[in-house]
Structure formats: C-alpha cells, structure tokens
Amino acid sequence: MQARSPGASVARNFASVGTGHTWMRRESLPSERQFVFKEPVEVECKAPEPRVIDEQGLYEISTLPTGISRVHLIPGFVDSKEADWMFEQLLQEIPWRQRTHLRQDLSYKEPRLTSWYGELPYTYSRLTMEPNPNWHPLLTMLKEHIENATGHTFNSLLCNLYRNEKDSVDWHSDDELSLGRNPVIASLSFGATRIFEMRKKPLPEENGDYTYVERVRIPLPHGTLLIMEGATQEDWQHRVPKEYHAREPRINLTFRTIYPDPEGMQSTTSRPK
C-alpha cells in the first residue's frame, strides 16, 4: 500500500474547496453599497388665499348640507353725493352710545358706538338693547329703499359707528335665535372704506381650528350695500378688523328681522369683542 504524504492530502482538500464553492471567488463578492442622502419630504398645509369680492354680483360662497351661503354685493347702491349728506346727518342725529360688556367679572367697552331701532329688544353677548320704535325718518326711507330693491322685509336695525381705525367688531355670526333660521342681513355702509372679512366655520372633526378654512375679503366703500343670505350665518363668521393705517369714521347700518324669542331660549353664539 502506497503511503500518502500529509502535505499532498491538504493540498487536494484546498483544491477541492477552491473549485467547488464559487462564493469564494473575488468576482462574486457583493459590491459596496452606495448611500444617497435625500432631504425629508415635508407635508405642507398652507392656508388658502382669501377670495376677494369687490365687484357687483350675487356670489355663492359655499354649499353644505345646511344650505347655500350667498352674498350679494351692490357698490354705489346710494349715489355718492346723496351718501355724503346722509352720512353727515346720521353722524349728527343718531343717538350713538358706547356699551359696556361683562365677562367673567370683568367689564370692557365695545370698540365702536351703536344704536338700535325696532319694536323688539335684541340680545347678543348677554347684552340686551331695549326696544326703540322711534325710527329716524332717514332710516325709515333707507329701509324702504332696500326692501323695494331686494324683495326682503326688515323690522329692526343695528347701527354701528366706527370712529377710526381702532374701532372694530370681532369674529361672530348673526345667528341669535331671535333672528330665526337662515336670516337675511342687509348691511349698508357710509363713510370710510373698511374691509369686511368672512371665514368658514371648521368641520366638527377639525375641533374649532380655523387655520386652514376658506376666507373672503370684501371692501365696503361709501354707499355700498351687502346682503348676506341663505346659510351664511350658520356656516360662516364675519368681522371688521382693526387697521394699522388711519381711517376716517364709518357708519354701518345692518337691517334684519327680529322674532319674539321663546321664553328661556338664549343665543347660541356669543360675540367676542
């Protein structure tokens, strides 16, 4: 029997391994991984740009299960020269008053002057304006003019005097129970142009977050009539904000219809100031 050299045996074993397992071959080794840095993608939610309404027309601003919300803008409803003397007469002859509110044992004054006309009281933000059936003749004439032009009737009027750029009214809806369902509000402006802003009320799942809601901006020049109707008060809020630049006085007349309030029922919406 021929004796085998230990060295020859080891050589054969290495040769067998070398020829039978291709994973040991250099060309079969995986190539080095290349890492490419990518900026993380951020999901941006941008608030929509406000829709600007500044031309005459009837505009549908939303359609929801509650109904269609519409605004009707009529610039120059009162001729400029007539509007001039009307403004001066209203400024001097309306019994303007600054009212005081109470909230959590704190009192504060409304940042504007107001006056109320109508045979029924009007309550908002826990403040009641007493009946005043003694309409100024000019206000009666304007009410009839608006009724003839629009086909709507009104029995009450809230007058607002914005003395300068610091006067304002904050976000609110005219949805007091005494106004009934889907009230029609006719707003007639005299004096300095102010911006009337609207924002859509958020859906219930948005938990009162107004960041990304639709918005509308409506400049209201001297003699302009704005009608809000349909579901506008249920689905939208509005305001006249303070401004940074100097503004001359502005008078706003908001005609509406008041119904007797059922006993014990209160407004569903407060009007912050």
Side-chain angles (χ1 to χ4, degrees), residues 25 58 63-64 66 69 74 77 112 126 128 131 137-139 147 165 170-171 184 186 189 194 216 225 242 252 262 271:
R25 295 174 185 170
L58 178 63
T63 301
L64 294 172
T66 48
S69 297
I74 310 176
F77 180 78
R112 65 189 179 282
R126 295 179 293 179
T128 298
L138 177 54
L139 297 176
E147 290 175 336
E165 68 281 358
D170 210 344
W171 291 113
V184 176
S189 296
R194 293 291 291 265
V216 176
L225 178 65
K242 300 180 189 298
N252 174 239
R271 186 179 310 207

PDB file of all heavy atoms in Angstrom, residues 25 58 63-64 66 69 74 77 112 126 128 131 137-139 147 165 170-171 184 186 189 194 216 225 242 252 262 271:
ATOM      1  N   ARG A  25     -14.940  33.116  -4.847  1.00  0.00           N
ATOM      2  CA  ARG A  25     -14.266  33.821  -5.937  1.00  0.00           C
ATOM      3  C   ARG A  25     -14.413  35.327  -5.773  1.00  0.00           C
ATOM      4  O   ARG A  25     -15.453  35.824  -5.382  1.00  0.00           O
ATOM      5  CB  ARG A  25     -14.853  33.392  -7.281  1.00  0.00           C
ATOM      6  CG  ARG A  25     -14.599  31.916  -7.579  1.00  0.00           C
ATOM      7  CD  ARG A  25     -15.311  31.498  -8.833  1.00  0.00           C
ATOM      8  NE  ARG A  25     -15.150  30.053  -9.041  1.00  0.00           N
ATOM      9  CZ  ARG A  25     -15.821  29.380  -9.957  1.00  0.00           C
ATOM     10  NH1 ARG A  25     -16.701  29.995 -10.727  1.00  0.00           N
ATOM     11  NH2 ARG A  25     -15.616  28.077 -10.099  1.00  0.00           N
ATOM     12  N   LEU A  58     -74.026  88.530  -7.354  1.00  0.00           N
ATOM     13  CA  LEU A  58     -74.518  87.571  -6.367  1.00  0.00           C
ATOM     14  C   LEU A  58     -73.541  86.404  -6.358  1.00  0.00           C
ATOM     15  O   LEU A  58     -73.316  85.768  -7.393  1.00  0.00           O
ATOM     16  CB  LEU A  58     -75.927  87.094  -6.738  1.00  0.00           C
ATOM     17  CG  LEU A  58     -76.564  86.051  -5.827  1.00  0.00           C
ATOM     18  CD1 LEU A  58     -76.775  86.604  -4.423  1.00  0.00           C
ATOM     19  CD2 LEU A  58     -77.901  85.580  -6.407  1.00  0.00           C
ATOM     20  N   THR A  63     -71.533  75.613  -0.410  1.00  0.00           N
ATOM     21  CA  THR A  63     -72.705  74.746  -0.451  1.00  0.00           C
ATOM     22  C   THR A  63     -72.450  73.568   0.469  1.00  0.00           C
ATOM     23  O   THR A  63     -71.537  72.775   0.241  1.00  0.00           O
ATOM     24  CB  THR A  63     -72.978  74.242  -1.882  1.00  0.00           C
ATOM     25  OG1 THR A  63     -73.187  75.363  -2.749  1.00  0.00           O
ATOM     26  CG2 THR A  63     -74.221  73.361  -1.909  1.00  0.00           C
ATOM     27  N   LEU A  64     -73.235  73.466   1.523  1.00  0.00           N
ATOM     28  CA  LEU A  64     -73.090  72.416   2.527  1.00  0.00           C
ATOM     29  C   LEU A  64     -74.458  71.806   2.811  1.00  0.00           C
ATOM     30  O   LEU A  64     -75.476  72.313   2.314  1.00  0.00           O
ATOM     31  CB  LEU A  64     -72.486  73.010   3.814  1.00  0.00           C
ATOM     32  CG  LEU A  64     -71.042  73.536   3.707  1.00  0.00           C
ATOM     33  CD1 LEU A  64     -70.656  74.271   4.981  1.00  0.00           C
ATOM     34  CD2 LEU A  64     -70.083  72.396   3.433  1.00  0.00           C
ATOM     35  N   THR A  66     -76.215  72.165   5.219  1.00  0.00           N
ATOM     36  CA  THR A  66     -77.057  73.177   5.857  1.00  0.00           C
ATOM     37  C   THR A  66     -77.692  74.117   4.840  1.00  0.00           C
ATOM     38  O   THR A  66     -78.658  74.811   5.157  1.00  0.00           O
ATOM     39  CB  THR A  66     -76.229  74.007   6.845  1.00  0.00           C
ATOM     40  OG1 THR A  66     -75.017  74.414   6.199  1.00  0.00           O
ATOM     41  CG2 THR A  66     -75.873  73.184   8.075  1.00  0.00           C
ATOM     42  N   SER A  69     -74.724  79.268   0.996  1.00  0.00           N
ATOM     43  CA  SER A  69     -74.388  80.564   1.578  1.00  0.00           C
ATOM     44  C   SER A  69     -74.129  81.548   0.441  1.00  0.00           C
ATOM     45  O   SER A  69     -73.311  81.274  -0.441  1.00  0.00           O
ATOM     46  CB  SER A  69     -73.156  80.458   2.481  1.00  0.00           C
ATOM     47  OG  SER A  69     -73.407  79.605   3.572  1.00  0.00           O
ATOM     48  N   ILE A  74     -73.575  95.198  -3.834  1.00  0.00           N
ATOM     49  CA  ILE A  74     -74.077  96.251  -4.718  1.00  0.00           C
ATOM     50  C   ILE A  74     -73.342  97.557  -4.402  1.00  0.00           C
ATOM     51  O   ILE A  74     -73.799  98.362  -3.578  1.00  0.00           O
ATOM     52  CB  ILE A  74     -75.603  96.448  -4.563  1.00  0.00           C
ATOM     53  CG1 ILE A  74     -76.333  95.107  -4.663  1.00  0.00           C
ATOM     54  CG2 ILE A  74     -76.130  97.425  -5.619  1.00  0.00           C
ATOM     55  CD1 ILE A  74     -77.828  95.211  -4.413  1.00  0.00           C
ATOM     56  N   PHE A  77     -74.956 101.610  -4.230  1.00  0.00           N
ATOM     57  CA  PHE A  77     -76.398 101.471  -4.016  1.00  0.00           C
ATOM     58  C   PHE A  77     -77.008 102.836  -3.695  1.00  0.00           C
ATOM     59  O   PHE A  77     -78.123 103.154  -4.104  1.00  0.00           O
ATOM     60  CB  PHE A  77     -76.664 100.484  -2.888  1.00  0.00           C
ATOM     61  CG  PHE A  77     -78.115 100.269  -2.587  1.00  0.00           C
ATOM     62  CD1 PHE A  77     -78.892  99.452  -3.394  1.00  0.00           C
ATOM     63  CD2 PHE A  77     -78.713 100.878  -1.495  1.00  0.00           C
ATOM     64  CE1 PHE A  77     -80.248  99.255  -3.131  1.00  0.00           C
ATOM     65  CE2 PHE A  77     -80.064 100.689  -1.213  1.00  0.00           C
ATOM     66  CZ  PHE A  77     -80.833  99.876  -2.033  1.00  0.00           C
ATOM     67  N   ARG A 112     -66.582 100.473  19.450  1.00  0.00           N
ATOM     68  CA  ARG A 112     -67.393 101.175  18.455  1.00  0.00           C
ATOM     69  C   ARG A 112     -68.612 101.725  19.187  1.00  0.00           C
ATOM     70  O   ARG A 112     -68.877 101.353  20.327  1.00  0.00           O
ATOM     71  CB  ARG A 112     -67.824 100.236  17.318  1.00  0.00           C
ATOM     72  CG  ARG A 112     -68.745  99.130  17.769  1.00  0.00           C
ATOM     73  CD  ARG A 112     -68.982  98.104  16.666  1.00  0.00           C
ATOM     74  NE  ARG A 112     -69.861  97.044  17.135  1.00  0.00           N
ATOM     75  CZ  ARG A 112     -69.480  96.044  17.920  1.00  0.00           C
ATOM     76  NH1 ARG A 112     -68.209  95.970  18.317  1.00  0.00           N
ATOM     77  NH2 ARG A 112     -70.327  95.121  18.313  1.00  0.00           N
ATOM     78  N   ARG A 126     -74.904  88.486  25.864  1.00  0.00           N
ATOM     79  CA  ARG A 126     -75.520  88.782  27.162  1.00  0.00           C
ATOM     80  C   ARG A 126     -75.803  90.273  27.356  1.00  0.00           C
ATOM     81  O   ARG A 126     -75.977  90.748  28.476  1.00  0.00           O
ATOM     82  CB  ARG A 126     -74.666  88.238  28.313  1.00  0.00           C
ATOM     83  CG  ARG A 126     -74.581  86.717  28.321  1.00  0.00           C
ATOM     84  CD  ARG A 126     -73.722  86.211  29.453  1.00  0.00           C
ATOM     85  NE  ARG A 126     -72.327  86.576  29.270  1.00  0.00           N
ATOM     86  CZ  ARG A 126     -71.367  86.266  30.122  1.00  0.00           C
ATOM     87  NH1 ARG A 126     -71.647  85.608  31.239  1.00  0.00           N
ATOM     88  NH2 ARG A 126     -70.117  86.621  29.887  1.00  0.00           N
ATOM     89  N   THR A 128     -78.460  93.249  26.232  1.00  0.00           N
ATOM     90  CA  THR A 128     -79.769  93.471  25.624  1.00  0.00           C
ATOM     91  C   THR A 128     -79.943  94.935  25.265  1.00  0.00           C
ATOM     92  O   THR A 128     -79.743  95.819  26.090  1.00  0.00           O
ATOM     93  CB  THR A 128     -80.898  93.040  26.579  1.00  0.00           C
ATOM     94  OG1 THR A 128     -80.784  91.635  26.830  1.00  0.00           O
ATOM     95  CG2 THR A 128     -82.258  93.329  25.969  1.00  0.00           C
ATOM     96  N   PRO A 131     -86.082  97.931  23.224  1.00  0.00           N
ATOM     97  CA  PRO A 131     -86.866  98.351  22.049  1.00  0.00           C
ATOM     98  C   PRO A 131     -86.820  99.862  21.837  1.00  0.00           C
ATOM     99  O   PRO A 131     -86.781 100.638  22.796  1.00  0.00           O
ATOM    100  CB  PRO A 131     -88.289  97.895  22.401  1.00  0.00           C
ATOM    101  CG  PRO A 131     -88.109  96.799  23.399  1.00  0.00           C
ATOM    102  CD  PRO A 131     -86.878  97.148  24.178  1.00  0.00           C
ATOM    103  N   PRO A 137     -86.437 109.422  10.451  1.00  0.00           N
ATOM    104  CA  PRO A 137     -87.041 109.403   9.105  1.00  0.00           C
ATOM    105  C   PRO A 137     -86.093 108.936   8.003  1.00  0.00           C
ATOM    106  O   PRO A 137     -86.513 108.239   7.071  1.00  0.00           O
ATOM    107  CB  PRO A 137     -87.469 110.864   8.895  1.00  0.00           C
ATOM    108  CG  PRO A 137     -87.647 111.408  10.270  1.00  0.00           C
ATOM    109  CD  PRO A 137     -86.623 110.707  11.133  1.00  0.00           C
ATOM    110  N   LEU A 138     -84.831 109.311   8.087  1.00  0.00           N
ATOM    111  CA  LEU A 138     -83.870 108.884   7.067  1.00  0.00           C
ATOM    112  C   LEU A 138     -83.678 107.367   7.105  1.00  0.00           C
ATOM    113  O   LEU A 138     -83.580 106.713   6.061  1.00  0.00           O
ATOM    114  CB  LEU A 138     -82.531 109.596   7.270  1.00  0.00           C
ATOM    115  CG  LEU A 138     -81.400 109.204   6.314  1.00  0.00           C
ATOM    116  CD1 LEU A 138     -81.819 109.346   4.862  1.00  0.00           C
ATOM    117  CD2 LEU A 138     -80.147 110.028   6.603  1.00  0.00           C
ATOM    118  N   LEU A 139     -83.656 106.788   8.298  1.00  0.00           N
ATOM    119  CA  LEU A 139     -83.514 105.342   8.417  1.00  0.00           C
ATOM    120  C   LEU A 139     -84.728 104.625   7.860  1.00  0.00           C
ATOM    121  O   LEU A 139     -84.602 103.571   7.211  1.00  0.00           O
ATOM    122  CB  LEU A 139     -83.287 104.957   9.882  1.00  0.00           C
ATOM    123  CG  LEU A 139     -82.012 105.504  10.525  1.00  0.00           C
ATOM    124  CD1 LEU A 139     -81.957 105.123  12.005  1.00  0.00           C
ATOM    125  CD2 LEU A 139     -80.770 105.006   9.793  1.00  0.00           C
ATOM    126  N   GLU A 147     -85.781  97.427   0.922  1.00  0.00           N
ATOM    127  CA  GLU A 147     -86.851  96.432   0.765  1.00  0.00           C
ATOM    128  C   GLU A 147     -87.360  96.392  -0.677  1.00  0.00           C
ATOM    129  O   GLU A 147     -87.581  95.315  -1.241  1.00  0.00           O
ATOM    130  CB  GLU A 147     -87.985  96.745   1.729  1.00  0.00           C
ATOM    131  CG  GLU A 147     -87.620  96.480   3.188  1.00  0.00           C
ATOM    132  CD  GLU A 147     -88.710  96.903   4.149  1.00  0.00           C
ATOM    133  OE1 GLU A 147     -89.534  97.786   3.781  1.00  0.00           O
ATOM    134  OE2 GLU A 147     -88.742  96.374   5.284  1.00  0.00           O
ATOM    135  N   GLU A 165     -59.633 103.875  12.840  1.00  0.00           N
ATOM    136  CA  GLU A 165     -59.069 102.553  12.540  1.00  0.00           C
ATOM    137  C   GLU A 165     -59.010 101.634  13.748  1.00  0.00           C
ATOM    138  O   GLU A 165     -58.875 100.416  13.596  1.00  0.00           O
ATOM    139  CB  GLU A 165     -57.674 102.709  11.942  1.00  0.00           C
ATOM    140  CG  GLU A 165     -56.601 103.239  12.893  1.00  0.00           C
ATOM    141  CD  GLU A 165     -56.638 104.740  13.120  1.00  0.00           C
ATOM    142  OE1 GLU A 165     -57.489 105.416  12.498  1.00  0.00           O
ATOM    143  OE2 GLU A 165     -55.805 105.227  13.913  1.00  0.00           O
ATOM    144  N   ASP A 170     -65.307  91.910  16.359  1.00  0.00           N
ATOM    145  CA  ASP A 170     -64.551  90.671  16.207  1.00  0.00           C
ATOM    146  C   ASP A 170     -65.411  89.590  15.548  1.00  0.00           C
ATOM    147  O   ASP A 170     -66.594  89.786  15.258  1.00  0.00           O
ATOM    148  CB  ASP A 170     -64.041  90.203  17.575  1.00  0.00           C
ATOM    149  CG  ASP A 170     -62.733  89.434  17.475  1.00  0.00           C
ATOM    150  OD1 ASP A 170     -62.376  89.009  16.354  1.00  0.00           O
ATOM    151  OD2 ASP A 170     -62.065  89.247  18.514  1.00  0.00           O
ATOM    152  N   TRP A 171     -64.791  88.419  15.337  1.00  0.00           N
ATOM    153  CA  TRP A 171     -65.454  87.318  14.650  1.00  0.00           C
ATOM    154  C   TRP A 171     -66.756  86.929  15.360  1.00  0.00           C
ATOM    155  O   TRP A 171     -66.781  86.743  16.573  1.00  0.00           O
ATOM    156  CB  TRP A 171     -64.549  86.094  14.600  1.00  0.00           C
ATOM    157  CG  TRP A 171     -63.354  86.218  13.719  1.00  0.00           C
ATOM    158  CD1 TRP A 171     -62.043  86.250  14.098  1.00  0.00           C
ATOM    159  CD2 TRP A 171     -63.352  86.316  12.281  1.00  0.00           C
ATOM    160  NE1 TRP A 171     -61.230  86.371  13.002  1.00  0.00           N
ATOM    161  CE2 TRP A 171     -61.999  86.400  11.877  1.00  0.00           C
ATOM    162  CE3 TRP A 171     -64.358  86.326  11.310  1.00  0.00           C
ATOM    163  CZ2 TRP A 171     -61.633  86.503  10.540  1.00  0.00           C
ATOM    164  CZ3 TRP A 171     -63.992  86.438   9.984  1.00  0.00           C
ATOM    165  CH2 TRP A 171     -62.638  86.520   9.602  1.00  0.00           C
ATOM    166  N   VAL A 184     -81.720  86.940   6.775  1.00  0.00           N
ATOM    167  CA  VAL A 184     -81.181  87.840   5.751  1.00  0.00           C
ATOM    168  C   VAL A 184     -80.720  89.113   6.455  1.00  0.00           C
ATOM    169  O   VAL A 184     -81.487  89.744   7.180  1.00  0.00           O
ATOM    170  CB  VAL A 184     -82.235  88.163   4.683  1.00  0.00           C
ATOM    171  CG1 VAL A 184     -81.674  89.174   3.678  1.00  0.00           C
ATOM    172  CG2 VAL A 184     -82.686  86.890   3.970  1.00  0.00           C
ATOM    173  N   ALA A 186     -79.043  92.862   5.752  1.00  0.00           N
ATOM    174  CA  ALA A 186     -78.712  93.873   4.750  1.00  0.00           C
ATOM    175  C   ALA A 186     -77.818  94.914   5.407  1.00  0.00           C
ATOM    176  O   ALA A 186     -78.233  95.596   6.348  1.00  0.00           O
ATOM    177  CB  ALA A 186     -79.976  94.518   4.198  1.00  0.00           C
ATOM    178  N   SER A 189     -73.244 100.692   4.025  1.00  0.00           N
ATOM    179  CA  SER A 189     -72.073 101.391   4.558  1.00  0.00           C
ATOM    180  C   SER A 189     -71.981 102.823   4.054  1.00  0.00           C
ATOM    181  O   SER A 189     -72.239 103.105   2.878  1.00  0.00           O
ATOM    182  CB  SER A 189     -70.790 100.643   4.177  1.00  0.00           C
ATOM    183  OG  SER A 189     -70.753  99.366   4.768  1.00  0.00           O
ATOM    184  N   ARG A 194     -63.945 100.188   4.757  1.00  0.00           N
ATOM    185  CA  ARG A 194     -63.347  99.198   5.659  1.00  0.00           C
ATOM    186  C   ARG A 194     -63.493  97.819   5.019  1.00  0.00           C
ATOM    187  O   ARG A 194     -64.379  97.579   4.182  1.00  0.00           O
ATOM    188  CB  ARG A 194     -64.028  99.226   7.029  1.00  0.00           C
ATOM    189  CG  ARG A 194     -63.804 100.510   7.814  1.00  0.00           C
ATOM    190  CD  ARG A 194     -62.372 100.687   8.293  1.00  0.00           C
ATOM    191  NE  ARG A 194     -62.016  99.730   9.320  1.00  0.00           N
ATOM    192  CZ  ARG A 194     -62.092  99.980  10.627  1.00  0.00           C
ATOM    193  NH1 ARG A 194     -62.520 101.150  11.068  1.00  0.00           N
ATOM    194  NH2 ARG A 194     -61.714  99.074  11.518  1.00  0.00           N
ATOM    195  N   VAL A 216     -62.949  85.047   2.935  1.00  0.00           N
ATOM    196  CA  VAL A 216     -63.407  86.010   1.936  1.00  0.00           C
ATOM    197  C   VAL A 216     -63.130  87.416   2.459  1.00  0.00           C
ATOM    198  O   VAL A 216     -63.310  87.687   3.655  1.00  0.00           O
ATOM    199  CB  VAL A 216     -64.918  85.837   1.648  1.00  0.00           C
ATOM    200  CG1 VAL A 216     -65.409  86.918   0.684  1.00  0.00           C
ATOM    201  CG2 VAL A 216     -65.207  84.449   1.083  1.00  0.00           C
ATOM    202  N   LEU A 225     -74.041  98.430  -0.568  1.00  0.00           N
ATOM    203  CA  LEU A 225     -74.975  97.531   0.109  1.00  0.00           C
ATOM    204  C   LEU A 225     -74.469  96.097  -0.026  1.00  0.00           C
ATOM    205  O   LEU A 225     -74.120  95.653  -1.125  1.00  0.00           O
ATOM    206  CB  LEU A 225     -76.375  97.639  -0.497  1.00  0.00           C
ATOM    207  CG  LEU A 225     -77.440  96.701   0.089  1.00  0.00           C
ATOM    208  CD1 LEU A 225     -77.731  97.042   1.550  1.00  0.00           C
ATOM    209  CD2 LEU A 225     -78.724  96.746  -0.747  1.00  0.00           C
ATOM    210  N   LYS A 242     -59.573  95.757  13.212  1.00  0.00           N
ATOM    211  CA  LYS A 242     -58.830  97.000  13.382  1.00  0.00           C
ATOM    212  C   LYS A 242     -57.833  97.133  12.232  1.00  0.00           C
ATOM    213  O   LYS A 242     -57.425  96.137  11.627  1.00  0.00           O
ATOM    214  CB  LYS A 242     -58.082  96.991  14.720  1.00  0.00           C
ATOM    215  CG  LYS A 242     -58.983  96.842  15.942  1.00  0.00           C
ATOM    216  CD  LYS A 242     -58.155  96.844  17.218  1.00  0.00           C
ATOM    217  CE  LYS A 242     -59.005  96.472  18.427  1.00  0.00           C
ATOM    218  NZ  LYS A 242     -60.098  97.441  18.664  1.00  0.00           N
ATOM    219  N   ASN A 252     -72.216 101.957   9.619  1.00  0.00           N
ATOM    220  CA  ASN A 252     -72.740 100.735   9.025  1.00  0.00           C
ATOM    221  C   ASN A 252     -74.138 100.475   9.584  1.00  0.00           C
ATOM    222  O   ASN A 252     -74.335 100.427  10.801  1.00  0.00           O
ATOM    223  CB  ASN A 252     -71.806  99.563   9.334  1.00  0.00           C
ATOM    224  CG  ASN A 252     -72.358  98.235   8.864  1.00  0.00           C
ATOM    225  OD1 ASN A 252     -72.552  97.330   9.653  1.00  0.00           O
ATOM    226  ND2 ASN A 252     -72.624  98.127   7.580  1.00  0.00           N
ATOM    227  N   PRO A 262     -88.540  82.707  22.142  1.00  0.00           N
ATOM    228  CA  PRO A 262     -89.221  81.800  23.063  1.00  0.00           C
ATOM    229  C   PRO A 262     -88.638  81.952  24.464  1.00  0.00           C
ATOM    230  O   PRO A 262     -87.441  82.119  24.639  1.00  0.00           O
ATOM    231  CB  PRO A 262     -88.915  80.413  22.489  1.00  0.00           C
ATOM    232  CG  PRO A 262     -88.583  80.656  21.058  1.00  0.00           C
ATOM    233  CD  PRO A 262     -87.926  81.998  21.014  1.00  0.00           C
ATOM    234  N   ARG A 271     -70.680  87.079  20.929  1.00  0.00           N
ATOM    235  CA  ARG A 271     -69.967  87.944  20.006  1.00  0.00           C
ATOM    236  C   ARG A 271     -68.774  88.531  20.725  1.00  0.00           C
ATOM    237  O   ARG A 271     -68.891  89.496  21.456  1.00  0.00           O
ATOM    238  CB  ARG A 271     -70.902  89.048  19.511  1.00  0.00           C
ATOM    239  CG  ARG A 271     -70.282  89.919  18.442  1.00  0.00           C
ATOM    240  CD  ARG A 271     -71.245  90.963  17.982  1.00  0.00           C
ATOM    241  NE  ARG A 271     -72.517  90.384  17.640  1.00  0.00           N
ATOM    242  CZ  ARG A 271     -73.360  90.909  16.769  1.00  0.00           C
ATOM    243  NH1 ARG A 271     -73.059  91.993  16.156  1.00  0.00           N
ATOM    244  NH2 ARG A 271     -74.537  90.339  16.540  1.00  0.00           N
TER     245      ARG A 271
END
